[in-house]
Each structure stands twice: as structure tokens, then as C-alpha cells.
Amino acid sequence: KAGVTQTPRYLIKTRGQQVTLSCSPISGHRSVSWYQQTPGQGLQFLFEYFSETQRNKGNFPGRFSGRQFSNSRSEMNVSTLELGDSALYLCASSLRGGLYEQYFGPGTRLTVT
Amino acid sequence: GNSVTQMEGPVTLSEEAFLTINCTYTATGYPSLFWYVQYPGEGLQLLLKATKADDKGSNKGFEATYRKETTSFHLEKGSVQVSDSAVYFCALPRDTGFQKLVFGTGTRLLVSP
């Protein structure tokens, strides 16, 4: 069974631009969560989607948004990029969320210049 | 919400040495506890988990026991290898039943031949 895939793996953007990251969960998994990893803040939860609905949200500004499609694939969008948005963005999928364990993808490395 | 505290790194060991990475938690109830590992340039991989008090999770020679008396979930390995060099994260759900994982700051392990 294929793992969680994320595209693109690397991305360079300029301040003020917007970016969309994609995540394809493990087949059959319906919950997708997003995390931001930076050296300074560590791993921080962004949001979780389950059956196309946002079920949980972390403490990030409204510039960060996401959505989930009927096939469980998810996208994350960051608008008006700031230098501080440079990070590794990790997607994790889970069978149903709740107590089910999460499986992480390799991440998308975003660099904002 | 729940929280976790993890020992600072880096931890530097010689091959075949004994490893302990400390993790303590604060939680309501008895949530599942996890150890994740991140190899250089990769996403997170679930290393092991424990779902209730006194459970011992184990994988690839690593072990951790869920101890409610000391609210700890220390990671141990009897004999480390160079290939174990990575960053290790202790984690638990922020709230009961939800996927919003809270991670420790991570402990970098460096194993030399």
C-alpha cells in the first residue's frame, strides 16, 4: 500500500505570493492533518480534515487555509507569504482520525525569499 | 490541553551504547503516547506507541513503557547503531480523541562508529 505523498517536495516563493501544497493520503484513510515544522517553533498543528470538513484548527492566521476533496486528497494554501512561513510542511493521514494513529508524508520544504 | 516535555539534545553515543531519551507528559485521562523518528531529509515515521497505562511499545529494538505514576514515556534501546542517528519526537493528542498531536521539541541522536 502506497504511503502518504506530498507534492511538490521543494518550493521557493517570494514574499507576498501565495502557494498551494498537495497531500494524497494512504488509500482508505479519510482524515488528513497538516503540521508546520520550523527550527524555532518545532512541530505545530495547522488543521485536520475529515470527510471534506475541517474538524480541528491550530493557532495560525487566516492566511493559512486548507480543503479536502471527496477522494480524501487535501490541499493547503498560504496567501501573502512571509519570510517566517519558510518551513517543512508535513501532511499526515489516518484511517478515521480520533484515536487512530497518523502516518506522515515526506513533507514539502517551502522557502520564502 | 495535554502537553509533553522532552529532554534536550543532541545525544551523542558510540555504536552499541545504551540509549535513553526522556519524555514526560501532562494529560487529562490516559491518552495514547507515541514516539516518532525523523531521519535527515525525511518526514516523520511512527516508531512505537502505547495506548494505555503500563503498556510497552516496541519496534526495531526500541522500547518505551507508559508509566502513569511518573507520567513518563522514556525511549530506550539496548544497543544503538549508526543508522539510528535521527531526531526523535515524543507525542500525544492535545485533546482526547482528536488527531491534533502535540510534539516534544525533538531530541537529536548522533551515533558514531
Side-chain angles (χ1 to χ4, degrees), chain A residues 5 14 19 29 72 78 91 111:
Chain A
T5 57
T14 305
V19 67
H29 284 195
S72 294
V78 187
C91 165
T111 302

Side-chain angles (χ1 to χ4, degrees), chain A residues 25-89:
Chain A
I26 292 171
S27 178
H29 284 195
R30 295 169 60 191
S31 168
V32 173
S33 297
W34 289 88
Y35 294 83
Q36 181 197 63
Q37 185 178 25
T38 60
Q41 300 298 317
L43 278 153
Q44 293 186 289
F45 173 82
L46 279 156
F47 27 66
E48 182 214 357
Y49 286 87
F50 180 78
S51 293
E52 303 178 65
T53 301
Q54 187 181 87
R55 191 161 66 172
N56 272 298
K57 191 176 191 308
N59 296 323
F60 279 81
R63 299 185 298 107
F64 292 82
S65 63
R67 60 177 174 168
Q68 186 180 33
F69 302 94
S70 58
N71 61 358
S72 294
R73 189 177 70 85
S74 177
E75 288 182 347
M76 192 194 94
N77 185 76
V78 187
S79 63
T80 320
L81 284 166
E82 301 177 359
L83 294 179
D85 297 333
S86 295
L88 180 67
Y89 290 88

Side-chain angles (χ1 to χ4, degrees), chain B:
Chain B
N2 301 332
S3 63
V4 61
T5 302
Q6 194 174 337
M7 68 183 282
E8 296 279 337
V11 173
T12 305
L13 296 172
S14 298
E15 208 165 23
E16 298 183 4
F18 183 85
L19 168 71
T20 300
I21 299 178
N22 291 338
C23 169
T24 57
Y25 65 90
T26 302
T28 301
Y30 301 104
S32 296
L33 302 176
F34 304 91
W35 276 101
Y36 281 86
V37 59
Q38 186 174 34
Y39 297 101
E42 298 184 14
L44 297 175
Q45 297 178 26
L46 179 63
L47 181 59
L48 54 82
K49 68 175 182 179
T51 57
K52 60 183 186 297
D54 300 324
D55 252 7
K56 177 185 282 189
S58 61
N59 185 27
K60 299 181 182 179
F62 290 90
E63 292 183 340
T65 301
Y66 191 158
R67 301 208 184 277
K68 66 178 181 180
E69 301 84 3
T70 54
T71 61
S72 65
F73 192 54
H74 304 324
L75 182 69
E76 297 181 334
K77 187 175 185 182
S79 176
V80 294
Q81 305 300 312
V82 172
S83 58
D84 294 326
S85 298
V87 181
Y88 294 82
F89 294 90
C90 185
L92 76 168
R94 182 179 294 278
D95 304 293
T96 303
F98 289 97
Q99 286 288 290
K100 189 196 275 190
L101 287 177
V102 175
F103 289 88
T105 52
T107 303
R108 182 175 299 277
L109 170 64
L110 301 168
V111 181
S112 57

